[in-house]
Amino acid sequence: MDHAEWPFFSAAGADKPIRILIADDHRLGAEAMAAVIKLRDGYEVDCVSTLNELFKRLNGDTYDLVVLDTSMPLPLSVPYLQKISTAIGDTRLFLLFDEPNMVFQHK
């Protein structure tokens, strides 16, 4: 399936790559996820391993999707999630949870 067929990314358009930011303190896992995504044409993936790096990237770059590990070293509390939600604006947010019963919906 071509990314242009995914309604989730329809705003990105077929002529421009889908930009994804992966925030995970397990650098090897983040880079492995990025490598798998990059196997497909039309994707650009960046990785960060701290919340400070995440905020720096979000202030300087625009992404179509942010993948966020919720078990990063700093406690990822509701205020942090609100700050991240504000920083990413309309960007899609995908949260990776360690606990299967946790739910967070962005907008």
Side-chain angles (χ1 to χ4, degrees), residues 70-97:
T70 61
S71 64
M72 292 179 76
L74 288 176
L76 196 57
S77 59
V78 171
Y80 264 109
L81 288 174
Q82 290 171 335
K83 187 176 177 181
I84 291 167
S85 178
T86 300
I88 66 172
D90 291 334
T91 299
R92 304 284 186 173
L93 177 63
F94 182 85
L95 298 178
L96 301 174
F97 289 104

Side-chain angles (χ1 to χ4, degrees), residues 3 38-39 75:
H3 76 269
K38 289 178 182 178
L39 290 174

Side-chain angles (χ1 to χ4, degrees), residues 34-88:
V36 170
I37 294 168
K38 289 178 182 178
L39 290 174
R40 307 264 328 226
D41 289 334
Y43 295 89
E44 290 180 5
V45 185
D46 294 322
C47 298
V48 296
S49 56
T50 68
L51 291 175
N52 287 336
E53 288 178 281
L54 172 67
F55 288 117
K56 284 179 186 175
R57 286 290 180 119
L58 292 175
N59 285 331
D61 291 319
T62 302
Y63 293 93
D64 300 299
L65 174 68
V66 173
V67 178
L68 176 63
D69 172 20
T70 61
S71 64
M72 292 179 76
L74 288 176
L76 196 57
S77 59
V78 171
Y80 264 109
L81 288 174
Q82 290 171 335
K83 187 176 177 181
I84 291 167
S85 178
T86 300
I88 66 172

